[in-house]
Amino acid sequence: MARIFCIANQKGGVGKTTTAVNLAASLAAAEKRTLLVDCDPQANATTGMGIDKQDLDATLYHGLIGGADGTQLLHSTDIEALQIIPSNVELIGFEVEMMDTSGRESVLRTFLSGLQDRFDYILLDCPPSLNLLTVNAMTAADAMLIPLQCEFYALEGLSQLLQTIKRIQQGLNTRLEIGGILLTMFDKRTNLSHQVAEDAQRYFKDLVFATTIPRNIRLGEAPSFGKPILLYDAASIGAQSYIHLANEIINQHSPLSVS
Ligand code: ATP
Ligand code: MG
């Protein structure tokens, strides 16, 4: 059974998609069967994996709305163990079309249940909002991964996110846990980055991943080539840090760890 991670923060541009794409690639490179699901109508994860979002017959939207079989939505990638279910702007329709449907928060969970046996990890890239798509991702997930950009106001809005997690844990998904807080775009030369890291550690303690993701130009460039950083510049510090994160996650729930 796959372990499902929802990568979410309602703040925009904090590194959700960069983390989803590159963590997925790094898990797959470690020979874990991995599925990346693009749950954002912006479809940056789709583009970042080199898929032309204008040129898709079927996307996640068709899986959620039309009952398309998940296995038919899988796209292979240049990394053997990595597959993706892409999206495009059509996914915006999901919220409106589900308006009067009961159980609308669990549609993604039901959809993924048919795929869980095929994978070790499923990563859900969320939009920058706490809308119905994000609620669906949180309802389907075993764990939340929260990217936190090392900038002023980084922690602002987090209490709203934590409230939402608590609400979901009390109702829709009792097994949801915080898989970790990931510090992104860390710049070791600035006091601000260190300050945000300290604040996060004081507040969230060992929920903060030991791995931090540095600000790295190569990470910003890779999506325009439609590639995860591992296939663009494997030696870069950005690539190395996501490999490190993947190892940390693999060891979190390895059969050897006692918890
Ligand atoms: P959105 O909320 O719009 O979905 P997001 O949270 O998914 O955004 P990303 O798209 O991953 O954020 O990142 C925002 C921008 O910052 C992108 O241009 C991305 O390439 C860049 N970026 C992300 N992480 C890094 C990093 N560690 N170093 C340099 N650039 C980065
Ligand atoms: Mg994104």
Side-chain angles (χ1 to χ4, degrees):
M1 281 283 267
R3 182 162 164 80
I4 305 179
F5 275 92
C6 146
I7 301 174
N9 185 337
Q10 77 273 29
K11 217 181 248 276
V14 298
K16 293 181 288 294
T17 302
T18 303
T19 298
V21 166
N22 293 302
L23 175 58
S26 300
L27 288 167
E31 295 181 354
K32 300 293 179 190
R33 297 165 305 160
T34 305
L35 172 64
L36 172 62
V37 184
D38 193 343
C39 301
D40 183 356
Q42 294 183 95
N44 293 337
T46 298
T47 316
M49 286 301 304
I51 295 173
D52 180 359
K53 60 186 176 188
Q54 322 290 7
D55 190 33
L56 290 166
D57 292 332
T59 60
L60 178 63
Y61 172 81
H62 300 93
L64 297 182
I65 295 282
D69 182 357
T71 56
Q72 290 175 353
L73 300 177
L74 298 172
H75 287 240
S76 58
T77 71
D78 290 339
I79 301 174
E80 201 187 333
L82 176 60
Q83 293 188 285
I84 174 169
I85 294 183
S87 280
N88 61 23
V89 71
E90 273 184 300
L91 191 57
I92 288 184
F94 175 72
E95 180 132 13
V96 178
E97 285 169 52
M98 285 285 128
M99 199 104 77
D100 297 319
T101 310
S102 68
R104 60 184 174 276
E105 297 90 355
S106 309
V107 179
L108 179 62
R109 178 189 201 150
T110 306
F111 169 74
L112 290 176
S113 64
L115 292 168
Q116 260 188 297
D117 283 344
R118 296 170 164 254
F119 296 97
D120 299 308
Y121 290 96
I122 299 179
L123 305 190
L124 311 174
D125 184 29
C126 290
S129 118
L130 294 172
N131 63 12
L132 184 62
L133 284 162
T134 303
V135 168
N136 262 269
M138 290 168 78
T139 303
D142 300 297
M144 282 274 286
L145 191 161
I146 307 171
L148 209 63
Q149 185 182 353
C150 293
E151 51 134 52
F152 201 56
Y153 297 131
L155 289 108
E156 194 165 274
L158 266 191
S159 58
Q160 199 190 353
L161 184 60
L162 296 174
Q163 280 297 325
T164 307
I165 294 174
K166 202 174 273 175
R167 257 203 353 260
I168 303 253
Q169 284 169 332
Q170 287 165 351
L172 293 162
N173 181 3
T174 49
R175 58 180 210 299
L176 180 67
E177 55 182 57
I178 297 184
I181 313 275
L182 178 68
L183 298 168
T184 64
M185 298 183 234
F186 185 85
D187 183 345
K188 64 174 191 277
R189 297 164 307 179
T190 69
N191 286 334
L192 187 55
S193 274
H194 290 284
Q195 188 64 52
V196 171
E198 264 175 44
D199 287 350
Q201 261 136 16
R202 187 163 352 106
Y203 198 68
F204 294 107
K205 312 222 158 46
D206 50 8
L207 285 179
V208 182
F209 284 109
T211 306
T212 57
I213 308 299
R215 189 172 278 287
N216 175 236
I217 289 173
R218 307 300 263 172
L219 276 173
E221 288 171 351
S224 57
F225 295 89
K227 286 181 178 176
I229 186 82
L230 265 181
L231 300 182
Y232 176 63
D233 186 352
S236 64
I237 178 92
Q240 294 305 312
S241 60
Y242 276 108
I243 289 171
H244 209 269
L245 177 66
N247 287 331
E248 203 179 333
I249 283 175
I250 290 167
N251 291 327
Q252 258 183 351
H253 280 260
S254 74
L256 289 174
S257 74
V258 185
S259 61

